[in-house]
């Protein structure tokens, strides 16, 4: 942990920039490597010990939010610890190259706060930065089966075998229309076996010859 000790002599916390150096030691890059998957070593036990050591120095050494956010926050948190309250910081005031003044006033905007994690909002509140209440999310209205939605529903019905074409809303039985290739079996008077008949063709022929048909036909 010699590298970390060097860093603590210069800044507070372990949210160092990648270019931060402790003399000849690239501290920022070293910490970035530690945060990577497997950066603490392949041995799980040793990795756990190293993680505990880093957390003892700075519990937010591997925070879930951006390090840039954490670095600015720690500067303001140190000011609150020293003075008891967050002093006025004009935009443009910098610390180690970071514009903490602009950052502080940007964090007060409702749109910026809405993008933060709950813990981040809680920490800003502890600094004394006013927190805007998040708007309640309106329930999502149920979607009606229109347009492509109806098409998807029909495709699902076709695949399950439950779909029957409706045409204009009238059944074939009501309109008397049947496909010409549809075959049904009927029993003729005196016949021993059913006779296959193309129903559509038979109906079409019957209609075209209706004037020639008799009651006995």
């Amino acid at each position: 942990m010699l590298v970390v000790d060097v860093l603590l002599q210069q800044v507070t916390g372990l949210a160092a920039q990648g270019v931060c150096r402790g003399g000849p030691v690239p501290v920022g890059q070293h910490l970035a490597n530690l945060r990577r998957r497997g950066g603490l070593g392949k041995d799980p036990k040793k990795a756990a010990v190293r993680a505990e050591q880093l957390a003892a120095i700075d519990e937010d050494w591997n925070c879930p939010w951006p390090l840039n956010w954490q670095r600015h926050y720690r500067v303001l948190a140190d000011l609150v610890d020293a003075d008891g309250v967050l002093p006025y910081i004009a935009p443009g005031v910098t610390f180690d190259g970071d514009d903490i003044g602009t950052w502080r006033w940007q964090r007060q905007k409702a749109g910026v706060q809405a993008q933060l994690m709950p813990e981040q909002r809680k920490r800003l509140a502890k600094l004394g930065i006013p927190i805007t209440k998040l708007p309640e999310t309106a329930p999502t209205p149920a979607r009606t089966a229109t347009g492509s939605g109806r098409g998807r529903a029909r495709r699902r019905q076709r695949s399950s075998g439950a779909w029957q074409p409706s045409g204009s809303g009238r059944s074939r039985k009501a309109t008397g229309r049947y496909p010409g290739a549809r075959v049904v079996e009927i029993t003729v008077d005196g016949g021993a076996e059913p006779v296959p008949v193309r129903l559509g063709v038979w109906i079409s022929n019957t209609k075209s010859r209706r004037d020639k048909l008799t009651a006995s036909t």
Side-chain angles (χ1 to χ4, degrees), residues 165-205:
S166 60
S168 59
R170 298 175 295 173
S171 66
R172 288 196 179 109
K173 184 176 180 181
T175 61
R177 297 175 183 174
Y178 294 86
R182 183 174 180 181
V183 177
V184 297
E185 293 184 345
I186 63 174
T187 302
V188 182
D189 293 342
E193 296 180 356
V195 179
V197 176
R198 290 188 176 184
L199 188 57
V201 175
W202 182 83
I203 292 177
S204 177
N205 292 339

Side-chain angles (χ1 to χ4, degrees), residues 73 76-78 80 85-86 103 122-129:
Y73 161 77
L76 299 185
D78 287 345
V80 172
V85 294
L86 183 65
W103 189 91
K122 184 187 300 184
R123 295 192 181 200
L124 291 180
K126 289 182 179 180
L127 294 179
I129 296 177

Side-chain angles (χ1 to χ4, degrees), residues 88-94 98-106:
Y88 174 79
I89 306 174
V93 175
T94 63
D98 290 326
D99 189 341
I100 60 172
T102 299
W103 189 91
R104 178 260 180 270
W105 294 106
Q106 286 289 326

Side-chain angles (χ1 to χ4, degrees), residues 12-15 55 57-67 69-78 80-81 85-86 103-104 107-108 113 116-131:
T12 301
L14 301 183
I57 298 171
D58 181 1
E59 62 181 2
D60 295 317
W61 75 274
N62 192 22
C63 55
W65 45 78
L67 290 177
W69 192 96
Q70 177 66 18
R71 188 168 59 252
H72 286 77
Y73 161 77
R74 280 305 300 261
V75 174
L76 299 185
D78 287 345
V80 172
D81 290 341
V85 294
L86 183 65
W103 189 91
R104 178 260 180 270
R107 293 329 101 182
Q108 193 164 319
Q113 293 180 3
L116 301 178
M117 298 174 64
E119 178 62 24
Q120 289 175 285
R121 292 166 54 85
K122 184 187 300 184
R123 295 192 181 200
L124 291 180
K126 289 182 179 180
L127 294 179
I129 296 177
I131 301 299

